[in-house]
Amino acid sequence: ANITIKDEIVSGIEEECRLTGCAREEFIEDVLQRALKLGKYKRLREKMMPQAEAAGFADEDEILRAIS
């Protein structure tokens, strides 16, 4: 599939790939995978935080301390 990307983003991708030696396709795929995972995390967090707050947890740090 073809997509249109703003010139300044393309320039940033090209610069990052030049500096790191990463292939452009590999870099873009990695960025997209991270964005998809972040979106999934945010949706799960939005769904779970009301339950965690109802159980007495104020934030993720308190949850992590409780399960550690």
Short mmCIF file of all heavy atoms in Angstrom, two decimals:
data_model
loop_
_atom_site.label_atom_id
_atom_site.label_comp_id
_atom_site.label_asym_id
_atom_site.label_seq_id
_atom_site.Cartn_x
_atom_site.Cartn_y
_atom_site.Cartn_z
N ALA A 1 0.84 -1.18 0.00
CA ALA A 1 0.00 0.00 0.00
C ALA A 1 0.88 1.24 0.00
O ALA A 1 1.92 1.28 0.65
CB ALA A 1 -0.90 0.00 1.22
N ASN A 2 0.45 2.22 -0.71
CA ASN A 2 1.19 3.48 -0.76
C ASN A 2 0.55 4.48 0.18
O ASN A 2 -0.67 4.54 0.30
CB ASN A 2 1.18 4.06 -2.18
CG ASN A 2 1.98 3.21 -3.14
OD1 ASN A 2 2.94 2.57 -2.74
ND2 ASN A 2 1.59 3.20 -4.40
N ILE A 3 1.39 5.27 0.83
CA ILE A 3 0.91 6.32 1.71
C ILE A 3 1.68 7.60 1.41
O ILE A 3 2.78 7.55 0.85
CB ILE A 3 1.07 5.96 3.21
CG1 ILE A 3 2.53 5.69 3.55
CG2 ILE A 3 0.20 4.77 3.56
CD1 ILE A 3 2.79 5.53 5.02
N THR A 4 1.09 8.72 1.77
CA THR A 4 1.77 10.00 1.59
C THR A 4 2.28 10.46 2.95
O THR A 4 1.53 10.44 3.94
CB THR A 4 0.78 11.04 1.02
OG1 THR A 4 0.28 10.55 -0.22
CG2 THR A 4 1.47 12.37 0.80
N ILE A 5 3.55 10.84 2.99
CA ILE A 5 4.18 11.30 4.23
C ILE A 5 4.73 12.70 3.98
O ILE A 5 5.36 12.95 2.95
CB ILE A 5 5.32 10.35 4.65
CG1 ILE A 5 4.78 8.93 4.86
CG2 ILE A 5 5.99 10.85 5.93
CD1 ILE A 5 5.85 7.90 5.14
N LYS A 6 4.50 13.59 4.94
CA LYS A 6 5.00 14.96 4.81
C LYS A 6 6.51 14.97 4.64
O LYS A 6 7.22 14.15 5.21
CB LYS A 6 4.61 15.77 6.04
CG LYS A 6 3.12 15.98 6.18
CD LYS A 6 2.79 16.76 7.43
CE LYS A 6 1.29 16.91 7.59
NZ LYS A 6 0.93 17.64 8.79
N ASP A 7 6.97 15.95 3.86
CA ASP A 7 8.40 16.04 3.54
C ASP A 7 9.28 16.12 4.78
O ASP A 7 10.35 15.50 4.82
CB ASP A 7 8.67 17.26 2.65
CG ASP A 7 8.11 17.08 1.24
OD1 ASP A 7 7.85 15.93 0.83
OD2 ASP A 7 7.94 18.10 0.55
N GLU A 8 8.85 16.87 5.80
CA GLU A 8 9.69 17.00 7.00
C GLU A 8 9.82 15.67 7.75
O GLU A 8 10.85 15.39 8.35
CB GLU A 8 9.20 18.11 7.93
CG GLU A 8 7.82 17.91 8.49
CD GLU A 8 6.71 18.58 7.68
OE1 GLU A 8 6.93 18.96 6.52
OE2 GLU A 8 5.62 18.73 8.23
N ILE A 9 8.79 14.83 7.67
CA ILE A 9 8.87 13.51 8.31
C ILE A 9 9.80 12.62 7.51
O ILE A 9 10.64 11.90 8.09
CB ILE A 9 7.47 12.89 8.46
CG1 ILE A 9 6.64 13.72 9.44
CG2 ILE A 9 7.57 11.44 8.93
CD1 ILE A 9 5.19 13.30 9.57
N VAL A 10 9.69 12.68 6.19
CA VAL A 10 10.58 11.90 5.33
C VAL A 10 12.04 12.30 5.59
O VAL A 10 12.92 11.44 5.72
CB VAL A 10 10.23 12.06 3.83
CG1 VAL A 10 11.29 11.42 2.94
CG2 VAL A 10 8.86 11.48 3.54
N SER A 11 12.29 13.59 5.72
CA SER A 11 13.65 14.07 6.01
C SER A 11 14.14 13.53 7.34
O SER A 11 15.30 13.10 7.45
CB SER A 11 13.69 15.59 6.02
OG SER A 11 13.38 16.11 4.76
N GLY A 12 13.28 13.53 8.34
CA GLY A 12 13.66 13.00 9.65
C GLY A 12 13.95 11.51 9.59
O GLY A 12 14.91 11.03 10.20
N ILE A 13 13.14 10.77 8.84
CA ILE A 13 13.37 9.33 8.68
C ILE A 13 14.71 9.09 7.99
O ILE A 13 15.51 8.25 8.44
CB ILE A 13 12.23 8.69 7.88
CG1 ILE A 13 10.93 8.69 8.70
CG2 ILE A 13 12.59 7.26 7.44
CD1 ILE A 13 9.69 8.34 7.89
N GLU A 14 14.95 9.80 6.91
CA GLU A 14 16.20 9.63 6.17
C GLU A 14 17.41 9.97 7.03
O GLU A 14 18.42 9.26 7.01
CB GLU A 14 16.17 10.45 4.89
CG GLU A 14 15.19 9.89 3.87
CD GLU A 14 15.03 10.76 2.64
OE1 GLU A 14 15.57 11.88 2.60
OE2 GLU A 14 14.34 10.29 1.71
N GLU A 15 17.31 11.04 7.82
CA GLU A 15 18.42 11.41 8.69
C GLU A 15 18.66 10.34 9.75
O GLU A 15 19.80 9.94 10.00
CB GLU A 15 18.15 12.75 9.36
CG GLU A 15 19.29 13.19 10.27
CD GLU A 15 19.03 14.53 10.93
OE1 GLU A 15 17.96 15.13 10.72
OE2 GLU A 15 19.92 14.96 11.67
N GLU A 16 17.60 9.86 10.38
CA GLU A 16 17.74 8.83 11.41
C GLU A 16 18.36 7.56 10.84
O GLU A 16 19.24 6.95 11.44
CB GLU A 16 16.38 8.53 12.04
CG GLU A 16 16.45 7.59 13.22
CD GLU A 16 17.19 8.15 14.42
OE1 GLU A 16 17.31 9.38 14.55
OE2 GLU A 16 17.66 7.34 15.24
N CYS A 17 17.91 7.18 9.66
CA CYS A 17 18.46 5.98 9.02
C CYS A 17 19.92 6.16 8.65
O CYS A 17 20.73 5.24 8.82
CB CYS A 17 17.63 5.61 7.79
SG CYS A 17 15.98 5.02 8.20
N ARG A 18 20.27 7.36 8.18
CA ARG A 18 21.67 7.63 7.85
C ARG A 18 22.55 7.57 9.09
O ARG A 18 23.63 7.00 9.08
CB ARG A 18 21.79 9.00 7.18
CG ARG A 18 23.18 9.37 6.72
CD ARG A 18 23.23 10.68 5.95
NE ARG A 18 22.39 11.75 6.44
CZ ARG A 18 22.67 12.53 7.50
NH1 ARG A 18 23.77 12.32 8.19
NH2 ARG A 18 21.86 13.50 7.87
N LEU A 19 22.06 8.13 10.20
CA LEU A 19 22.84 8.17 11.44
C LEU A 19 22.97 6.80 12.11
O LEU A 19 23.98 6.51 12.74
CB LEU A 19 22.22 9.16 12.43
CG LEU A 19 22.27 10.63 12.02
CD1 LEU A 19 21.43 11.48 12.96
CD2 LEU A 19 23.72 11.12 11.97
N THR A 20 21.93 5.98 11.97
CA THR A 20 21.94 4.69 12.66
C THR A 20 22.32 3.52 11.76
O THR A 20 22.58 2.43 12.25
CB THR A 20 20.55 4.39 13.27
OG1 THR A 20 19.59 4.29 12.21
CG2 THR A 20 20.16 5.45 14.27
N GLY A 21 22.29 3.74 10.45
CA GLY A 21 22.60 2.66 9.53
C GLY A 21 21.43 1.70 9.33
O GLY A 21 21.59 0.64 8.74
N CYS A 22 20.28 2.08 9.80
CA CYS A 22 19.08 1.25 9.69
C CYS A 22 18.45 1.43 8.31
O CYS A 22 18.42 2.55 7.78
CB CYS A 22 18.09 1.66 10.78
SG CYS A 22 16.61 0.66 10.84
N ALA A 23 17.95 0.36 7.72
CA ALA A 23 17.25 0.46 6.44
C ALA A 23 15.95 1.22 6.65
O ALA A 23 15.28 1.08 7.67
CB ALA A 23 16.97 -0.93 5.88
N ARG A 24 15.58 2.04 5.68
CA ARG A 24 14.39 2.87 5.80
C ARG A 24 13.13 2.03 6.06
O ARG A 24 12.33 2.37 6.93
CB ARG A 24 14.21 3.71 4.54
CG ARG A 24 13.04 4.66 4.64
CD ARG A 24 12.94 5.62 3.51
NE ARG A 24 13.46 5.09 2.26
CZ ARG A 24 13.43 5.73 1.11
NH1 ARG A 24 12.93 6.93 1.05
NH2 ARG A 24 13.92 5.20 0.03
N GLU A 25 12.95 0.96 5.30
CA GLU A 25 11.77 0.12 5.48
C GLU A 25 11.73 -0.49 6.88
O GLU A 25 10.68 -0.56 7.52
CB GLU A 25 11.73 -0.99 4.43
CG GLU A 25 11.48 -0.48 3.02
CD GLU A 25 12.72 0.10 2.35
OE1 GLU A 25 13.85 -0.06 2.89
OE2 GLU A 25 12.58 0.75 1.30
N GLU A 26 12.88 -0.93 7.37
CA GLU A 26 12.98 -1.52 8.71
C GLU A 26 12.65 -0.47 9.77
O GLU A 26 11.92 -0.75 10.73
CB GLU A 26 14.41 -2.05 8.92
CG GLU A 26 14.63 -2.75 10.24
CD GLU A 26 16.07 -3.24 10.37
OE1 GLU A 26 16.62 -3.73 9.36
OE2 GLU A 26 16.62 -3.12 11.47
N PHE A 27 13.16 0.73 9.61
CA PHE A 27 12.89 1.81 10.56
C PHE A 27 11.41 2.14 10.61
O PHE A 27 10.80 2.22 11.68
CB PHE A 27 13.70 3.06 10.18
CG PHE A 27 13.42 4.24 11.06
CD1 PHE A 27 14.01 4.35 12.31
CD2 PHE A 27 12.55 5.23 10.65
CE1 PHE A 27 13.74 5.44 13.13
CE2 PHE A 27 12.27 6.32 11.45
CZ PHE A 27 12.87 6.43 12.70
N ILE A 28 10.80 2.30 9.43
CA ILE A 28 9.38 2.65 9.37
C ILE A 28 8.53 1.54 9.96
O ILE A 28 7.59 1.79 10.71
CB ILE A 28 8.97 2.97 7.91
CG1 ILE A 28 9.66 4.27 7.46
CG2 ILE A 28 7.46 3.08 7.77
CD1 ILE A 28 9.55 4.55 5.98
N GLU A 29 8.85 0.30 9.65
CA GLU A 29 8.10 -0.82 10.20
C GLU A 29 8.20 -0.84 11.72
O GLU A 29 7.20 -1.05 12.41
CB GLU A 29 8.64 -2.13 9.61
CG GLU A 29 7.80 -3.33 9.94
CD GLU A 29 8.27 -4.56 9.19
OE1 GLU A 29 8.16 -4.58 7.95
OE2 GLU A 29 8.75 -5.49 9.86
N ASP A 30 9.39 -0.61 12.26
CA ASP A 30 9.59 -0.58 13.71
C ASP A 30 8.77 0.53 14.36
O ASP A 30 8.11 0.32 15.37
CB ASP A 30 11.08 -0.41 14.03
CG ASP A 30 11.36 -0.43 15.52
OD1 ASP A 30 10.96 -1.41 16.19
OD2 ASP A 30 11.95 0.54 16.02
N VAL A 31 8.80 1.71 13.76
CA VAL A 31 8.04 2.85 14.29
C VAL A 31 6.55 2.54 14.29
O VAL A 31 5.84 2.81 15.26
CB VAL A 31 8.35 4.14 13.50
CG1 VAL A 31 7.38 5.24 13.85
CG2 VAL A 31 9.78 4.59 13.75
N LEU A 32 6.06 1.98 13.20
CA LEU A 32 4.63 1.66 13.12
C LEU A 32 4.24 0.58 14.13
O LEU A 32 3.18 0.67 14.76
CB LEU A 32 4.27 1.23 11.69
CG LEU A 32 4.34 2.34 10.65
CD1 LEU A 32 4.13 1.77 9.25
CD2 LEU A 32 3.34 3.44 10.94
N GLN A 33 5.09 -0.44 14.29
CA GLN A 33 4.80 -1.47 15.29
C GLN A 33 4.74 -0.88 16.69
O GLN A 33 3.85 -1.22 17.48
CB GLN A 33 5.84 -2.58 15.23
CG GLN A 33 5.68 -3.49 14.03
CD GLN A 33 6.77 -4.53 13.94
OE1 GLN A 33 7.82 -4.45 14.59
NE2 GLN A 33 6.55 -5.54 13.12
N ARG A 34 5.67 0.02 17.00
CA ARG A 34 5.66 0.66 18.32
C ARG A 34 4.40 1.50 18.52
O ARG A 34 3.79 1.50 19.59
CB ARG A 34 6.89 1.54 18.50
CG ARG A 34 8.17 0.76 18.65
CD ARG A 34 9.37 1.71 18.64
NE ARG A 34 10.60 1.01 18.59
CZ ARG A 34 11.49 1.00 19.58
NH1 ARG A 34 11.27 1.68 20.68
NH2 ARG A 34 12.61 0.32 19.46
N ALA A 35 3.98 2.22 17.47
CA ALA A 35 2.77 3.04 17.56
C ALA A 35 1.54 2.18 17.79
O ALA A 35 0.66 2.53 18.59
CB ALA A 35 2.62 3.88 16.30
N LEU A 36 1.46 1.04 17.11
CA LEU A 36 0.33 0.14 17.29
C LEU A 36 0.31 -0.43 18.71
O LEU A 36 -0.76 -0.52 19.34
CB LEU A 36 0.38 -0.99 16.26
CG LEU A 36 0.13 -0.57 14.81
CD1 LEU A 36 0.44 -1.73 13.87
CD2 LEU A 36 -1.30 -0.09 14.63
N LYS A 37 1.47 -0.81 19.23
CA LYS A 37 1.55 -1.33 20.60
C LYS A 37 1.18 -0.26 21.61
O LYS A 37 0.49 -0.53 22.60
CB LYS A 37 2.95 -1.88 20.89
CG LYS A 37 3.23 -3.17 20.17
CD LYS A 37 4.65 -3.65 20.43
CE LYS A 37 4.95 -4.90 19.62
NZ LYS A 37 6.31 -5.36 19.80
N LEU A 38 1.63 0.97 21.38
CA LEU A 38 1.30 2.07 22.28
C LEU A 38 -0.19 2.34 22.29
O LEU A 38 -0.80 2.55 23.35
CB LEU A 38 2.08 3.33 21.89
CG LEU A 38 1.85 4.56 22.76
CD1 LEU A 38 2.22 4.27 24.22
CD2 LEU A 38 2.65 5.73 22.23
N GLY A 39 -0.81 2.31 21.12
CA GLY A 39 -2.24 2.50 21.04
C GLY A 39 -2.99 1.41 21.81
O GLY A 39 -3.95 1.70 22.53
N LYS A 40 -2.54 0.18 21.67
CA LYS A 40 -3.17 -0.94 22.39
C LYS A 40 -3.00 -0.75 23.89
O LYS A 40 -3.94 -0.94 24.67
CB LYS A 40 -2.55 -2.26 21.94
CG LYS A 40 -3.19 -3.47 22.56
CD LYS A 40 -2.58 -4.75 22.00
CE LYS A 40 -3.26 -5.97 22.58
NZ LYS A 40 -2.72 -7.22 22.01
N TYR A 41 -1.80 -0.35 24.33
CA TYR A 41 -1.54 -0.11 25.75
C TYR A 41 -2.47 0.98 26.29
O TYR A 41 -3.07 0.83 27.35
CB TYR A 41 -0.08 0.30 25.96
CG TYR A 41 0.16 0.90 27.32
CD1 TYR A 41 0.25 0.11 28.45
CD2 TYR A 41 0.27 2.28 27.47
CE1 TYR A 41 0.45 0.67 29.70
CE2 TYR A 41 0.45 2.85 28.71
CZ TYR A 41 0.56 2.05 29.81
OH TYR A 41 0.73 2.61 31.05
N LYS A 42 -2.61 2.07 25.53
CA LYS A 42 -3.45 3.17 25.99
C LYS A 42 -4.91 2.74 26.12
O LYS A 42 -5.59 3.11 27.08
CB LYS A 42 -3.34 4.37 25.04
CG LYS A 42 -2.02 5.10 25.17
CD LYS A 42 -1.95 6.27 24.19
CE LYS A 42 -0.66 7.04 24.36
NZ LYS A 42 -0.60 8.19 23.44
N ARG A 43 -5.39 1.95 25.16
CA ARG A 43 -6.78 1.47 25.25
C ARG A 43 -6.96 0.54 26.44
O ARG A 43 -7.96 0.64 27.16
CB ARG A 43 -7.17 0.77 23.95
CG ARG A 43 -7.44 1.72 22.80
CD ARG A 43 -8.01 1.01 21.59
NE ARG A 43 -7.18 -0.09 21.10
CZ ARG A 43 -6.10 0.05 20.34
NH1 ARG A 43 -5.71 1.26 19.98
NH2 ARG A 43 -5.42 -1.00 19.94
N LEU A 44 -6.00 -0.34 26.68
CA LEU A 44 -6.09 -1.25 27.83
C LEU A 44 -6.03 -0.47 29.13
O LEU A 44 -6.77 -0.76 30.07
CB LEU A 44 -4.96 -2.28 27.78
CG LEU A 44 -5.10 -3.38 26.74
CD1 LEU A 44 -3.81 -4.19 26.67
CD2 LEU A 44 -6.29 -4.27 27.05
N ARG A 45 -5.17 0.53 29.19
CA ARG A 45 -5.05 1.36 30.39
C ARG A 45 -6.36 2.08 30.68
O ARG A 45 -6.82 2.10 31.81
CB ARG A 45 -3.92 2.37 30.24
CG ARG A 45 -3.68 3.18 31.49
CD ARG A 45 -2.61 4.25 31.27
NE ARG A 45 -2.32 4.94 32.49
CZ ARG A 45 -3.10 5.86 33.06
NH1 ARG A 45 -4.24 6.19 32.51
NH2 ARG A 45 -2.73 6.45 34.18
N GLU A 46 -6.94 2.67 29.64
CA GLU A 46 -8.22 3.38 29.82
C GLU A 46 -9.30 2.43 30.34
O GLU A 46 -10.13 2.82 31.14
CB GLU A 46 -8.67 4.01 28.50
CG GLU A 46 -7.88 5.23 28.11
CD GLU A 46 -8.28 5.78 26.75
OE1 GLU A 46 -9.30 5.32 26.19
OE2 GLU A 46 -7.56 6.66 26.24
N LYS A 47 -9.26 1.21 29.87
CA LYS A 47 -10.25 0.22 30.27
C LYS A 47 -10.01 -0.26 31.71
O LYS A 47 -10.97 -0.48 32.46
CB LYS A 47 -10.21 -0.97 29.31
CG LYS A 47 -11.22 -2.04 29.58
CD LYS A 47 -11.12 -3.15 28.56
CE LYS A 47 -12.11 -4.25 28.86
NZ LYS A 47 -12.04 -5.33 27.87
N MET A 48 -8.75 -0.41 32.09
CA MET A 48 -8.42 -1.02 33.38
C MET A 48 -8.28 -0.04 34.54
O MET A 48 -8.50 -0.40 35.69
CB MET A 48 -7.12 -1.84 33.26
CG MET A 48 -7.21 -2.98 32.27
SD MET A 48 -8.57 -4.14 32.56
CE MET A 48 -8.15 -4.79 34.14
N MET A 49 -7.93 1.21 34.27
CA MET A 49 -7.69 2.15 35.37
C MET A 49 -8.92 2.39 36.24
O MET A 49 -8.78 2.46 37.46
CB MET A 49 -7.11 3.47 34.86
CG MET A 49 -5.62 3.40 34.60
SD MET A 49 -4.62 2.68 35.93
CE MET A 49 -4.77 3.92 37.20
N PRO A 50 -10.12 2.48 35.71
CA PRO A 50 -11.26 2.63 36.61
C PRO A 50 -11.40 1.45 37.59
O PRO A 50 -11.72 1.65 38.77
CB PRO A 50 -12.47 2.70 35.66
CG PRO A 50 -11.90 3.23 34.39
CD PRO A 50 -10.53 2.63 34.30
N GLN A 51 -11.10 0.25 37.11
CA GLN A 51 -11.14 -0.93 37.99
C GLN A 51 -10.03 -0.86 39.03
O GLN A 51 -10.25 -1.19 40.20
CB GLN A 51 -11.02 -2.20 37.16
CG GLN A 51 -12.18 -2.42 36.22
CD GLN A 51 -11.97 -3.60 35.30
OE1 GLN A 51 -11.23 -4.52 35.61
NE2 GLN A 51 -12.61 -3.56 34.13
N ALA A 52 -8.86 -0.44 38.61
CA ALA A 52 -7.74 -0.33 39.55
C ALA A 52 -8.02 0.74 40.60
O ALA A 52 -7.75 0.54 41.79
CB ALA A 52 -6.45 -0.01 38.79
N GLU A 53 -8.57 1.86 40.17
CA GLU A 53 -8.91 2.93 41.12
C GLU A 53 -9.98 2.47 42.10
O GLU A 53 -9.90 2.77 43.29
CB GLU A 53 -9.35 4.18 40.36
CG GLU A 53 -8.20 4.86 39.64
CD GLU A 53 -8.64 5.95 38.68
OE1 GLU A 53 -9.87 6.14 38.48
OE2 GLU A 53 -7.76 6.60 38.09
N ALA A 54 -10.95 1.71 41.61
CA ALA A 54 -12.00 1.18 42.49
C ALA A 54 -11.41 0.22 43.52
O ALA A 54 -11.94 0.09 44.63
CB ALA A 54 -13.07 0.48 41.67
N ALA A 55 -10.30 -0.43 43.15
CA ALA A 55 -9.63 -1.35 44.07
C ALA A 55 -8.66 -0.62 45.00
O ALA A 55 -7.99 -1.25 45.83
CB ALA A 55 -8.90 -2.43 43.29
N GLY A 56 -8.56 0.71 44.86
CA GLY A 56 -7.72 1.50 45.75
C GLY A 56 -6.36 1.88 45.23
O GLY A 56 -5.54 2.42 45.97
N PHE A 57 -6.08 1.62 43.96
CA PHE A 57 -4.79 1.99 43.38
C PHE A 57 -4.90 3.36 42.72
O PHE A 57 -5.84 3.62 41.97
CB PHE A 57 -4.34 0.96 42.34
CG PHE A 57 -4.07 -0.40 42.91
CD1 PHE A 57 -4.99 -1.43 42.75
CD2 PHE A 57 -2.91 -0.65 43.61
CE1 PHE A 57 -4.75 -2.69 43.26
CE2 PHE A 57 -2.65 -1.91 44.14
CZ PHE A 57 -3.59 -2.93 43.96
N ALA A 58 -3.92 4.22 42.99
CA ALA A 58 -3.95 5.58 42.44
C ALA A 58 -3.29 5.66 41.06
O ALA A 58 -3.67 6.47 40.24
CB ALA A 58 -3.26 6.55 43.39
N ASP A 59 -2.28 4.80 40.82
CA ASP A 59 -1.57 4.86 39.54
C ASP A 59 -0.83 3.55 39.28
O ASP A 59 -0.87 2.63 40.09
CB ASP A 59 -0.60 6.04 39.51
CG ASP A 59 0.42 6.00 40.65
OD1 ASP A 59 0.75 4.91 41.14
OD2 ASP A 59 0.89 7.08 41.03
N GLU A 60 -0.14 3.49 38.14
CA GLU A 60 0.57 2.27 37.75
C GLU A 60 1.68 1.91 38.73
O GLU A 60 1.95 0.74 38.96
CB GLU A 60 1.17 2.42 36.34
CG GLU A 60 0.16 2.42 35.23
CD GLU A 60 -0.21 3.82 34.80
OE1 GLU A 60 0.10 4.79 35.53
OE2 GLU A 60 -0.84 3.96 33.74
N ASP A 61 2.32 2.92 39.31
CA ASP A 61 3.39 2.64 40.26
C ASP A 61 2.88 1.85 41.46
O ASP A 61 3.53 0.91 41.92
CB ASP A 61 4.05 3.94 40.74
CG ASP A 61 4.86 4.61 39.64
OD1 ASP A 61 5.33 3.90 38.72
OD2 ASP A 61 5.05 5.83 39.70
N GLU A 62 1.71 2.22 41.97
CA GLU A 62 1.13 1.49 43.10
C GLU A 62 0.79 0.06 42.70
O GLU A 62 1.00 -0.87 43.48
CB GLU A 62 -0.11 2.19 43.63
CG GLU A 62 0.19 3.42 44.44
CD GLU A 62 -1.05 3.99 45.10
OE1 GLU A 62 -2.11 3.34 45.10
OE2 GLU A 62 -0.94 5.12 45.63
N ILE A 63 0.30 -0.12 41.49
CA ILE A 63 -0.04 -1.47 41.01
C ILE A 63 1.24 -2.31 40.92
O ILE A 63 1.27 -3.45 41.38
CB ILE A 63 -0.75 -1.41 39.64
CG1 ILE A 63 -2.10 -0.71 39.79
CG2 ILE A 63 -0.92 -2.80 39.06
CD1 ILE A 63 -2.76 -0.36 38.49
N LEU A 64 2.29 -1.74 40.35
CA LEU A 64 3.56 -2.47 40.23
C LEU A 64 4.14 -2.83 41.59
O LEU A 64 4.66 -3.94 41.77
CB LEU A 64 4.56 -1.65 39.40
CG LEU A 64 4.23 -1.53 37.92
CD1 LEU A 64 5.19 -0.57 37.24
CD2 LEU A 64 4.26 -2.88 37.24
N ARG A 65 4.05 -1.91 42.54
CA ARG A 65 4.56 -2.22 43.89
C ARG A 65 3.76 -3.36 44.51
O ARG A 65 4.29 -4.22 45.20
CB ARG A 65 4.52 -0.97 44.78
CG ARG A 65 5.67 -0.02 44.52
CD ARG A 65 5.78 1.05 45.61
NE ARG A 65 4.63 1.94 45.67
CZ ARG A 65 4.46 3.02 44.91
NH1 ARG A 65 5.37 3.35 44.03
NH2 ARG A 65 3.39 3.79 45.06
N ALA A 66 2.45 -3.37 44.27
CA ALA A 66 1.60 -4.40 44.87
C ALA A 66 1.86 -5.78 44.29
O ALA A 66 1.74 -6.78 45.00
CB ALA A 66 0.14 -4.01 44.68
N ILE A 67 2.24 -5.84 43.02
CA ILE A 67 2.44 -7.16 42.42
C ILE A 67 3.90 -7.60 42.43
O ILE A 67 4.21 -8.73 42.06
CB ILE A 67 1.89 -7.21 40.97
CG1 ILE A 67 2.62 -6.23 40.07
CG2 ILE A 67 0.40 -6.98 40.97
CD1 ILE A 67 2.25 -6.33 38.60
N SER A 68 4.78 -6.74 42.89
CA SER A 68 6.21 -7.10 42.93
C SER A 68 6.54 -7.92 44.15
O SER A 68 5.97 -7.86 45.16
CB SER A 68 7.07 -5.84 42.94
OG SER A 68 6.92 -5.15 41.73
#
